Amino acid sequence: MELRTLSYFLAVAREQNMTEAANVLHVTQPTLSRQIADLEDELGKKLFTRTSRSTVLTEDGMHLRQRAEEILALVNQTEDEMKNDTIDLAGCIRIGAGETHAMHILADLFAKLHSHYPRLTVELFTGNADTVEEKLAHGLIDFALMIEPFNVEQYHFIRLPETMRVGIVTRDDSKWAQKSGITPDDLNAMPLLVSSRQSLNRYDYRQWSGGKVSAETMNIVGKFDLISNASHFIRTGIANAIGIDELLQLDTGHLKFIPLEPALTLSAVIVWKKYRLLSKSSSVFLQELQQYIAEASKTNSNLP
């Protein structure tokens, strides 16, 4: 399968019209139609449903579109890395992450590098852990910032020195807002929104509560991927959300974070694929990160 054919296929998928796609690609419509027909014959799959006005992806076509976009993105990324592998550091560092205040560490490191290498750029992808890890596995990002617990066995990783408190996010006028800490009994008593990754035991409630709290004892109203969207539901007063402290979107007002009591903290890790040759820009970024971690460890070891 040629890369050009995949480009043609994606153009038709985007435009949903063979004539308009041909105009975008600067080819004739019969040429484009023949390329798509040959691709369908090669795959033995029908990729489009055609009508007099539109060309719509089938289920097989939607699956190929996802893979084709990943393939071409990886090709473009590789070409950029090859072109920018020069002494005057350039290129793009691609970072995926969920919502966490620990991102400020990576932002500070990139800002430091960018002051020395102005042609260096960054591409950020925000999503839940599943979507971020999928992009990392397919080589579409260079680094991922993951909140533990996370299985790091198949990756290289660096654990960041900062920890994050787990607690609830509630309306600032709710019955829970005046509490200094949320006990296991409190958690069982309140309506809750929880992470959609609950099944992966992101928070070990049973161990934290001494057996008092579990998925069965909690009043779970719903689940969420990113708390920025969940915050709109919290503002209605229908439920509180379990999350981590110091998320920027909570500074918009009318919301308050209250930590769990006893305290429950999480750490974050930077991970990257094993057996993958990093671009020069990513390698320099990693060196800066390793130096930052070494200096932070030395500082902490000198504290009384």
Side-chain angles (χ1 to χ4, degrees), residues 158-185:
I158 294 176
R159 185 168 287 107
L160 298 181
E162 295 186 4
T163 58
M164 296 157 282
R165 296 184 301 172
V166 179
I168 68 158
V169 181
T170 187
R171 273 174 51 144
D172 59 7
D173 60 353
S174 75
K175 60 185 288 188
W176 318 102
Q178 302 309 313
K179 287 181 168 289
S180 60
I182 300 299
T183 66
D185 290 337

Side-chain angles (χ1 to χ4, degrees), residues 63-121:
H63 179 72
L64 178 61
R65 177 177 185 170
Q66 178 184 354
R67 296 307 180 202
E69 288 174 341
E70 292 173 353
I71 290 168
L72 292 180
L74 193 57
V75 169
N76 292 334
Q77 176 182 330
T78 303
E79 290 176 346
D80 288 343
E81 290 171 355
M82 295 295 289
K83 287 188 292 187
N84 291 317
D85 191 19
T86 60
I87 296 176
D88 181 14
L89 190 64
C92 182
I93 302 168
R94 298 164 177 86
I95 302 172
E99 294 173 309
T100 166
H101 183 64
M103 178 58 81
H104 81 89
I105 295 175
L106 304 188
D108 292 344
L109 290 175
F110 175 78
K112 179 181 177 181
L113 278 177
H114 190 263
S115 66
H116 295 291
Y117 307 105
R119 293 200 298 145
L120 196 65
T121 61

Side-chain angles (χ1 to χ4, degrees), residues 11 14-15 18-27 32:
R14 284 192 298 267
E15 300 299 327
M18 195 70 71
T19 301
E20 292 180 10
N23 291 335
V24 169
L25 294 168
H26 304 293
V27 299
L32 181 57

Side-chain angles (χ1 to χ4, degrees), residues 4 9 28 33 102 110 150 201 225 252 262 290:
R4 182 181 63 178
F9 163 76
T28 64
S33 297
F110 175 78
F150 175 77
N201 296 318
D225 275 351
T252 55
Q290 291 168 330

Side-chain angles (χ1 to χ4, degrees), residues 90-226:
C92 182
I93 302 168
R94 298 164 177 86
I95 302 172
E99 294 173 309
T100 166
H101 183 64
M103 178 58 81
H104 81 89
I105 295 175
L106 304 188
D108 292 344
L109 290 175
F110 175 78
K112 179 181 177 181
L113 278 177
H114 190 263
S115 66
H116 295 291
Y117 307 105
R119 293 200 298 145
L120 196 65
T121 61
V122 65
E123 183 175 316
L124 302 176
F125 172 80
T126 302
N128 67 16
D130 295 328
T131 54
V132 170
E133 186 175 9
E134 182 179 4
K135 283 190 173 291
L136 182 65
H138 291 159
L140 300 178
I141 55 178
D142 304 307
F143 302 99
L145 173 57
M146 311 296 284
I147 299 173
E148 294 188 297
F150 175 77
N151 185 5
V152 297
E153 290 183 0
Q154 57 183 316
Y155 301 103
H156 294 298
F157 71 96
I158 294 176
R159 185 168 287 107
L160 298 181
E162 295 186 4
T163 58
M164 296 157 282
R165 296 184 301 172
V166 179
I168 68 158
V169 181
T170 187
R171 273 174 51 144
D172 59 7
D173 60 353
S174 75
K175 60 185 288 188
W176 318 102
Q178 302 309 313
K179 287 181 168 289
S180 60
I182 300 299
T183 66
D185 290 337
D186 292 331
L187 204 62
N188 280 330
M190 66 177 65
L192 288 168
L193 298 171
V194 299
S195 168
S196 59
R197 304 190 77 236
Q198 180 73 18
S199 61
L200 300 182
N201 296 318
R202 178 173 177 182
Y203 309 133
D204 192 342
Y205 301 110
R206 192 178 297 277
Q207 181 178 354
W208 163 75
S209 65
K212 291 183 179 181
V213 178
S214 66
E216 291 72 29
T217 64
M218 291 189 293
N219 177 17
I220 298 176
V221 174
K223 298 181 179 182
F224 62 89
D225 275 351
L226 301 176

